[in-house]
Amino acid sequence: PDNLKALFRPMAMMVPDYALIAEIRLFSFGFDAPKQLAGKLVSTFRLSSEQLSSQDHYDFGMRAVNTVIQAAGLLKKSEPDLAEDLTMLRAIRDSNLPKFLKDDVLLFRAIIKDIFPGVQEPVAEYASLEAELRKFTEDAGEQYVPTFETKCIQLYEMTVVRHGMMLVGPTGGGKSRVLKSLQAAMSRIEGDPRFETVRVVKCNPKSIT
């Protein structure tokens, strides 16, 4: 209504230039070719938003871009001699793959392969963590399967680059087991600065406002 419209004033908003923001942030982390890498990052998210299925927990906006850049910066710091294409590829993969459904993982890998042609996906190695995960699982009398190990590793990698997260999935999907196994394995490792003793504090979500 016109009488209600008079109480409001128009406001213009613009879509942020993800590529420019990513380029500046990558440059601040010491990357030599930030423009090229920023373009690949934005293209990956654009194609993913168009081709992957629509899920409530999928996010391809500025928050996701920021997380990938943060992960790439940490990788650049820990492995400065690694090729920048590989660093960006690994950051994109590690930050996004854990949240995708099984069918979307195949599509996402195809998108990555198109945007990073000829670049072999790097494999992250966590020998001490994998050994403790296997030992804890076998001590509990459970069967150790590669998929379970992958999910534990993905959860660890998420804790490195994100402030908070949610484990979602069907009943009996292994969410609690992954969390408890990772907690125990990380707490058992000694002498590696990447892994610290994990303490779990349970809060009633209704008490947090």
Side-chain angles (χ1 to χ4, degrees):
D2 290 339
N3 61 337
L4 191 59
K5 195 184 293 183
L7 301 175
F8 294 91
R9 60 184 178 127
M11 185 170 66
M13 296 182 69
M14 60 178 287
V15 177
D17 188 340
Y18 290 176
L20 184 59
I21 295 171
E23 179 185 345
I24 294 168
R25 290 214 61 206
L26 287 170
F27 195 78
S28 71
F29 277 115
F31 283 85
D32 295 326
K35 192 177 185 71
Q36 178 189 358
L37 295 175
K40 290 185 176 185
L41 171 58
V42 173
S43 296
T44 301
F45 280 155
R46 179 174 50 78
L47 291 172
S48 297
S49 64
E50 292 171 357
Q51 296 182 21
L52 303 191
S53 64
S54 178
Q55 303 293 331
D56 290 337
H57 65 282
Y58 284 6
D59 175 28
F60 302 110
M62 195 64 236
R63 185 183 300 171
V65 171
N66 192 51
T67 300
V68 171
I69 294 170
Q70 192 71 28
L74 291 171
L75 282 171
K76 182 74 172 173
K77 186 178 179 181
S78 61
E79 300 180 40
D81 296 329
L82 190 66
E84 291 190 348
D85 268 358
L86 281 174
T87 302
M88 179 55 72
L89 174 58
R90 184 174 161 188
I92 292 173
R93 184 197 64 187
D94 293 351
S95 301
N96 292 281
L97 214 54
K99 67 186 177 186
F100 292 143
L101 301 182
K102 189 175 180 180
D103 294 336
D104 287 335
V105 168
L106 299 175
L107 290 171
F108 185 71
R109 287 192 183 279
I111 291 170
I112 285 179
K113 199 170 182 180
D114 289 342
I115 293 179
F116 294 88
V119 179
Q120 189 69 28
E121 276 194 47
V123 179
E125 294 183 0
Y126 301 97
S128 55
L129 181 60
E130 290 168 9
E132 290 297 341
L133 280 169
R134 179 180 290 275
K135 189 173 184 303
F136 175 77
T137 306
E138 291 173 351
D139 289 348
E142 298 170 350
Q143 188 176 4
Y144 191 76
V145 293
T147 311
F148 178 77
E149 178 189 285
T150 301
K151 285 299 170 187
C152 289
I153 298 295
Q154 287 178 345
L155 178 59
Y156 165 70
E157 291 175 339
M158 285 294 96
T159 62
V160 175
V161 296
R162 291 186 183 272
H163 295 293
M165 71 196 78
M166 293 176 67
L167 284 174
V168 296
T171 304
K175 302 182 294 296
S176 299
R177 202 66 212 160
V178 165
L179 184 63
K180 289 175 183 176
S181 299
L182 181 63
Q183 175 200 357
M186 288 180 66
S187 300
R188 288 182 176 191
I189 297 173
E190 296 179 355
D192 191 331
R194 295 178 299 174
F195 308 110
E196 300 177 359
T197 301
V198 179
R199 295 175 179 82
V200 175
V201 179
K202 295 182 180 180
C203 299
N204 180 355
K206 293 180 181 178
S207 69
I208 303 171
T209 56

